[in-house]
Amino acid sequence: MTLAFNEAHKALALDEVPVGAVIVKNGKVLGAGFNQVISSNSVSSHAEINAIQKAGKTLKNYRLNNCDIYITLEPCHMCAKAIVDARIKNVFFSTPEPKTGSIISIDNFFDKAYLNHRVLYHHGFLPEEGSELLKNFFKSKRKK
């Protein structure tokens, strides 16, 4: 999770929403990413999507079987679907996202019976750090 927060700080340095993600398999980091929606002019450039793309290139496979993803914020629906499609085994996230979080906040997406892949999820890792990072970012935006 610490590595995911390192990625979130990269987003913060670019004045992006500070979210980071890291994909690991057997203790080895395969891909890492941070939000780059503004700098890349792409609505899909979320931390999770960027990490999935890098891990896929590392493995030379779009399927990330038996991989885990560590994320500083609860995934949205777009990212949750990408996680399912990539066949990631476990999701670990720090902070719930009450407005768009699709795992425990506004939906329970990973629990849907119609999904063709089961993703296990766990949350509450360094929640104070995640919450403070986001609160401070959005507070700085309101001051401007």
Side-chain angles (χ1 to χ4, degrees):
M1 192 58 75
T2 300
L3 296 176
F5 276 105
N6 290 346
E7 293 296 309
H9 285 282
K10 292 177 185 178
L12 183 63
L14 293 174
D15 205 28
E16 299 267 2
V17 177
V19 179
V22 175
I23 296 176
V24 176
K25 183 174 185 178
N26 299 327
K28 181 181 177 194
V29 174
L30 301 178
F34 55 91
N35 271 2
Q36 293 179 284
V37 173
I38 297 165
S39 59
S40 70
N41 296 308
S42 174
V43 70
S44 65
S45 196
H46 287 197
E48 300 94 325
I49 303 295
N50 293 334
I52 287 168
Q53 289 176 337
K54 288 177 183 172
K57 287 180 182 175
T58 299
L59 291 177
K60 296 179 178 33
N61 195 331
Y62 70 97
R63 294 265 170 98
L64 305 179
N65 293 318
N66 298 310
C67 290
D68 301 324
I69 187 168
Y70 295 82
I71 314 163
T72 60
L73 187 65
E74 179 180 3
C76 67
H77 280 97
M78 174 182 68
C79 292
K81 182 64 166 89
I83 288 166
V84 169
D85 290 347
R87 304 296 195 270
I88 291 174
K89 184 176 184 177
N90 289 291
V91 170
F92 301 91
F93 66 90
S94 172
T95 309
E97 183 13 298
K99 293 182 181 177
T100 62
S102 68
I103 311 308
I104 63 168
S105 294
I106 63 165
D107 195 2
N108 301 105
F109 183 73
F110 289 153
D111 297 329
K112 303 295 184 194
Y114 58 79
L115 292 175
N116 63 347
H117 173 71
R118 263 312 129 222
V119 177
L120 303 175
Y121 57 92
H122 321 272
H123 61 90
F125 302 93
L126 304 173
E128 295 84 15
E129 185 173 341
S131 180
E132 284 301 308
L133 185 62
L134 289 161
K135 283 180 189 173
N136 290 338
F137 174 77
F138 287 111
K139 189 185 292 183
S140 76
K141 292 293 176 195
R142 287 189 296 274
K143 286 181 181 177
K144 291 180 183 177

